[in-house]
Amino acid sequence: MSVLTRLLDDEPPFDPASVPPYSPTGKTAANADALLNWLAWGASVAGVLGLIIVGTQLSLQLRRGDMGEGASYFRGFFIVLVASVVATTAGPIVEWFGPYNS
């Protein structure tokens, strides 16, 4: 349908107030919950792997005898821990502020 045909028709204009509010129920809510659960597990796995990688780098540095550069690896621990906390709390924050809170 072309734009000109739509303009010439006698259809009433779109009223945004006539659209019902979105509320995820049924299959949509189950799919959203499943996606959030998979993302939470993925973030947990990434956090554990990040800590293992940073710990391995720290132990290799200690074995080589380079003790002066430990701050960069502790910074890595801090970044991985903060990212893990943010990823862990994302689900409850979305649930608190999102459409599920009635």
Side-chain angles (χ1 to χ4, degrees), residues 24-60:
T25 58
K27 189 173 182 179
T28 305
N31 289 341
D33 287 340
L35 178 65
L36 283 176
N37 287 337
W38 277 104
L39 290 175
W41 276 105
S44 299
V45 168
V48 169
L49 286 176
L51 289 176
I52 289 172
I53 290 170
V54 171
T56 303
Q57 289 176 344
L58 188 60
S59 66
L60 290 174

Side-chain angles (χ1 to χ4, degrees), residues 17 24 29 42 71 93:
I93 289 173

Side-chain angles (χ1 to χ4, degrees), residues 2-102:
S2 70
V3 175
L4 184 59
T5 309
R6 279 186 78 180
L7 289 175
L8 294 176
D9 285 345
D10 291 328
E11 293 181 20
F14 174 71
D15 183 20
S18 66
V19 177
Y22 173 74
S23 72
T25 58
K27 189 173 182 179
T28 305
N31 289 341
D33 287 340
L35 178 65
L36 283 176
N37 287 337
W38 277 104
L39 290 175
W41 276 105
S44 299
V45 168
V48 169
L49 286 176
L51 289 176
I52 289 172
I53 290 170
V54 171
T56 303
Q57 289 176 344
L58 188 60
S59 66
L60 290 174
Q61 175 197 2
L62 180 64
R63 184 171 174 95
R64 283 191 307 241
D66 300 332
M67 294 301 291
E69 298 179 7
S72 64
Y73 295 110
F74 287 121
R75 183 176 51 217
F77 271 121
F78 179 73
I79 290 171
V80 169
L81 288 176
V82 167
S84 297
V85 167
V86 168
T88 303
T89 59
I93 289 173
V94 167
E95 187 174 345
W96 177 261
F97 290 113
Y100 299 115
N101 191 11
S102 299

